């Protein structure tokens, strides 16, 4: 006989208590909602790839701002020298003007003692400008040649002194504006670096490890690309040697001259490996990217401009396939980074804040990051 007992509803136990199915469903819904609520903030967080890109962009922007800072700093130094020169000139001219005034005063005193033509020089000294007095030809006619010469000297010196004072005033105003640009550029660099540090500080230890793994893969790919370029360049050089005519001595001489200078630049830059990147630094204890390349080529007797977007125009542009040791490799559309090519697809550069001068593949940030190659001598 079949049982007439009602079957119990299927449920679960919570802390040893059997719960109805409906209650179980409710609890499940609450748990899911709780999980969703807890997961929401995590979903809003950027991925590690996005963090890496954002940090790299901030460092690049900081380098670009550093170039602006370097340019403003260099301009400030030049303008300060100009202002100092103008102020020294004004001081000398003012002294000469005072001497001319004293000479005229001696004439006035002498005329007063003798009672002769006293009003003439006195009128000059009391006139609003020397030209006002000069225009009074009836009075000028009574002056002696010596007095006329003194008046001419005074007028000339006063005109020249006023002109120099105006130039000095304009230069001071320009200097003030440039100093303001310098302050703005410095603040921009500091803000970009602070933002990058803040993003990195928010990563967990596990995320930092994963980020390091991503960076390692990028370096491995960059090394592979560098090896490919080295093979291509070696093949091209071999082919060129086989087809070069013996009588072509002039290019060989030119190549030898460049190689000698490049060797000096490379010898210098290799000694700098391990020194810290510091924005705005030109050595000898630290460098930024353009400060390093400038110092390297200075050691070879070649003066390069201070900033990357000027250095890129300080030589002959060559193709990447024709890059030779000593060439400058520029990066990004805004030409905000530069390294010194050492051959085999490698360079020595001052990478970014927190890093050190090091040898690295020119593909460290991908092939698309390479802007151009310039031979500076």
């Amino acid at each position: 006989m079949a049982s007439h007992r009602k079957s119990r509803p299927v449920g679960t136990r919570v802390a040893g208590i059997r719960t109805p199915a409906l209650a179980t469903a409710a609890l499940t819904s609450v748990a899911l909602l709780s999980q969703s609520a807890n997961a929401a903030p995590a979903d809003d967080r950027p991925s590690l790839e996005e963090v890496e890109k954002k940090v790299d962009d901030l460092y690049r922007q900081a380098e670009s701002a550093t170039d602006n800072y370097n340019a403003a700093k260099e301009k400030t130094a030049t303008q300060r020298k100009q202002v100092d020169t103008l102020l020294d000139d004004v001081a000398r001219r003012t002294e000469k003007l005072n001497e001319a005034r004293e000479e005229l005063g001696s004439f006035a005193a002498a005329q007063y003692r003798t009672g002769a033509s006293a009003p003439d020089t006195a009128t000059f000294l009391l006139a609003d400008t020397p030209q006002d007095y000069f225009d009074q030809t009836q009075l000028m006619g009574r002056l002696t040649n010596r007095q006329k010469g003194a008046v001419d000297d005074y007028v000339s010196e006063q005109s020249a002194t006023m002109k120099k004072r105006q130039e000095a005033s304009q230069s001071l105003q320009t200097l003030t504006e440039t100093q303001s640009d310098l302050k703005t550029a410095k603040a921009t660099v500091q803000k970009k670096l602070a933002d990058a540090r803040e993003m990195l500080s928010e990563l967990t230890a596990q995320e930092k490890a994963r980020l390091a793994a991503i960076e390692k893969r990028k370096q491995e790919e960059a090394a592979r690309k560098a090896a490919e370029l080295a093979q291509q360049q070696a093949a091209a050089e071999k082919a060129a040697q086989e087809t070069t005519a013996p009588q072509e001595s002039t290019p060989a001489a030119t190549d030898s001259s460049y190689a000698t200078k490049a060797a000096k630049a490379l010898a210098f830059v290799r000694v700098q490996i391990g020194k810290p990147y510091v924005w705005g630094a030109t050595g000898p204890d630290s460098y930024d990217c353009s400060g390093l390349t400038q110092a390297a080529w200075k050691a070879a007797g070649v003066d390069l401009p201070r900033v990357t977007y000027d250095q890129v125009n300080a030589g002959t542009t060559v193709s990447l396939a024709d890059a030779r040791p000593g060439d400058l490799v520029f990066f990004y559309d805004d030409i905000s980074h530069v390294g010194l090519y050492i051959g085999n697809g490698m360079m020595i550069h001052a990478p970014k804040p927190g890093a050190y001068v090091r040898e690295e593949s020119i593909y460290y940030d991908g092939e698309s990051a390479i802007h151009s190659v310039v031979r500076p001598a």
Side-chain angles (χ1 to χ4, degrees):
M1 181 181 295
S3 173
H4 294 284
R5 295 175 60 189
K6 293 184 178 178
S7 62
R8 294 181 179 180
V10 178
T12 60
R13 288 184 178 271
V14 177
I17 303 174
R18 187 179 297 276
T19 58
L22 184 59
T24 301
L27 287 173
T28 303
S29 299
V30 170
L32 289 173
L33 287 173
S34 176
Q35 291 174 2
S36 299
N38 292 331
D43 292 341
D44 291 338
R45 294 186 64 187
S47 66
L48 283 179
E49 288 77 6
E50 291 171 335
V51 170
E52 182 191 38
K53 184 179 184 306
K54 181 63 176 176
V55 169
D56 286 346
D57 286 345
L58 287 169
Y59 280 140
R60 278 185 51 204
Q61 292 166 20
E63 272 204 299
S64 181
T66 297
D67 266 348
N68 293 333
Y69 170 84
N70 291 336
K73 185 177 180 180
E74 189 175 45
K75 189 176 180 181
T76 297
T78 300
Q79 290 174 346
R80 186 175 287 112
K81 290 180 181 178
Q82 292 174 346
V83 168
D84 289 343
T85 300
L86 285 169
L87 291 177
D88 288 343
D89 194 12
V90 167
R92 287 192 298 269
R93 290 183 179 278
T94 300
E95 186 176 355
K96 291 183 67 175
L97 189 62
N98 290 336
E99 291 173 356
R101 185 181 290 110
E102 289 174 1
E103 185 176 6
L104 289 174
S106 66
F107 288 145
Q111 290 171 344
Y112 179 78
R113 287 194 299 271
T114 61
S117 303
D120 298 340
T121 305
T123 301
F124 176 81
L125 293 174
L126 293 174
D128 292 334
T129 66
Q131 192 61 45
D132 291 340
Y133 178 78
F134 185 83
D135 290 340
Q136 301 177 33
T137 54
Q138 70 279 14
L139 296 177
M140 284 297 295
R142 300 177 189 175
L143 298 178
T144 65
N145 289 336
R146 185 181 176 189
Q147 289 172 324
K148 287 179 180 179
V151 170
D152 289 340
D153 290 344
Y154 185 85
V155 171
S156 176
E157 281 301 326
Q158 188 181 58
S159 176
T161 301
M162 291 177 64
K163 182 178 180 180
K164 288 297 179 182
R165 283 176 179 168
Q166 290 175 348
E167 290 180 16
S169 177
Q170 292 173 352
S171 293
L172 279 171
Q173 182 178 354
T174 302
L175 176 59
T176 301
E177 293 171 354
T178 304
Q179 287 175 328
S180 177
D181 294 340
L182 182 65
K183 184 178 180 181
T184 299
K186 182 176 181 179
T188 300
V189 174
Q190 292 174 330
K191 178 65 167 59
K192 298 298 182 184
L193 295 180
D195 289 345
R197 285 193 294 268
E198 182 179 358
M199 288 196 72
L200 290 173
S201 68
E202 293 175 352
L203 296 178
T204 65
Q206 185 178 10
E207 288 173 330
K208 289 179 180 178
R210 289 171 56 198
L211 195 60
I214 293 173
E215 181 63 26
K216 184 179 179 181
R217 288 197 296 272
K218 284 178 60 177
Q219 291 176 355
E220 290 171 350
E221 174 62 17
R224 186 187 66 78
K225 292 286 294 182
E228 286 182 0
L229 178 61
Q231 291 176 354
Q232 294 170 6
Q233 290 178 331
E237 185 176 352
K238 182 179 180 180
Q241 290 175 348
E242 293 174 350
T243 58
T244 300
Q247 66 270 20
E248 293 181 358
S249 57
T250 302
T254 302
D255 289 349
S256 176
S257 174
Y258 178 77
T260 300
K261 293 177 181 178
K264 292 179 180 179
L266 291 169
F268 175 90
V269 79
R270 289 185 188 282
V271 177
Q272 314 313 313
I273 291 177
K275 293 184 178 180
Y277 176 104
V278 174
W279 64 274
T282 56
D285 299 322
S286 58
Y287 297 90
D288 63 17
C289 66
S290 57
L292 179 64
T293 52
Q294 183 188 47
W297 271 102
K298 186 175 182 180
V302 177
D303 291 327
L304 293 180
R306 175 65 183 91
V307 296
T308 54
Y309 50 77
D310 287 332
Q311 288 185 6
V312 75
N313 296 316
T316 304
T317 301
V318 298
S319 68
L320 182 58
D322 292 331
R324 292 165 52 189
D327 290 350
L328 304 175
V329 185
F330 295 91
F331 298 86
Y332 312 116
D333 292 339
D334 59 357
I335 318 175
S336 57
H337 189 66
V338 62
L340 193 69
Y341 191 64
I342 62 173
N344 296 325
M346 304 294 288
M347 66 178 174
I348 294 175
H349 67 148
K352 60 185 177 181
Y356 297 84
V357 176
R358 66 193 182 204
E359 182 178 321
E360 193 165 28
S361 167
I362 61 173
Y363 298 101
Y364 78 106
D365 202 21
E367 186 171 2
S368 62
I370 299 174
H371 177 274
S372 57
V373 180
V374 172
R375 189 157 298 154

